[in-house]
Amino acid sequence: MARTVKATKVGLKEAELLVDSLCELVWIDLKSQYAGFEEMLQSRIRDAEEAILDAAKGKLAIIAGIGVMRKDLERAQRRFSRSNEVDELREFLADLTGRIFRLREANDKVVESLKSVLNPNLNAIEIVEKFASDLQRSAGTWERNGRAIDESIHELCDDHEPAELRNFEHFISKQGYDALVEIPAHSSSDEDA
């Protein structure tokens, strides 16, 4: 049975509501996913920035310390060359060895602080992969809603000829008028199948 124009318009309006609902869902999902994606990337940069700046300052301090120790060593060498005082040089070198050890410890701390930057919980590539994966999961919902839209449109499409036409042709034939009127051959979807 053919739908009335009013029923068809109601059905089309319902399909439009489904489209609006899907568009809103996609937009909400995209905004939400993007906000999380952006926050994770910004967090990655913020965390790396602090550690990298601290490491750079630490390395500069180490280099400055080495410069001071080099000058101290040169002075100690000049004093030794004038005085030949071995014990004084030995004492200086022992102190210098302790200072070098402290610089190595400071450098180890710098290296350790950079490990969190080099091996984060999520690096930028993993953040992008997570974002794509989250979108893919959301897309499953979007596809289901898209399928519902297509189904509602398909329900509104009636490509069968009205039963009334066939009934009327049958009525003409029963009345005996088919001999006088040539009824054109019709193609129905039943015959095409």
Side-chain angles (χ1 to χ4, degrees), residues 2-32:
R3 290 179 179 261
T4 65
V5 172
K6 185 176 180 178
T8 302
K9 285 183 178 181
V10 168
L12 288 170
K13 189 68 174 169
E14 289 172 0
E16 285 178 16
L17 291 174
L18 288 174
V19 167
D20 292 344
S21 173
L22 176 57
C23 290
E24 185 177 340
L25 174 66
V26 169
W27 182 244
I28 289 169
D29 285 350
L30 285 175
K31 283 193 325 189
S32 170

Side-chain angles (χ1 to χ4, degrees), residues 87-137:
D87 289 336
E88 185 182 324
L89 181 63
R90 189 175 287 138
E91 185 179 316
F92 172 78
L93 291 175
D95 178 58
L96 186 67
T97 302
R99 289 164 60 189
I100 290 171
F101 179 75
R102 286 190 296 280
L103 286 180
R104 286 198 177 280
E105 284 181 329
N107 186 64
D108 289 345
K109 287 179 183 176
V110 167
V111 169
E112 190 63 34
S113 73
L114 290 175
K115 284 184 180 178
S116 66
V117 173
L118 296 172
N119 302 308
N121 290 339
L122 286 176
N123 63 35
I125 294 169
E126 292 167 333
I127 291 169
V128 170
E129 288 173 346
K130 181 182 180 329
F131 176 64
S133 174
D134 291 346
L135 282 180
Q136 187 65 35
R137 274 195 299 281

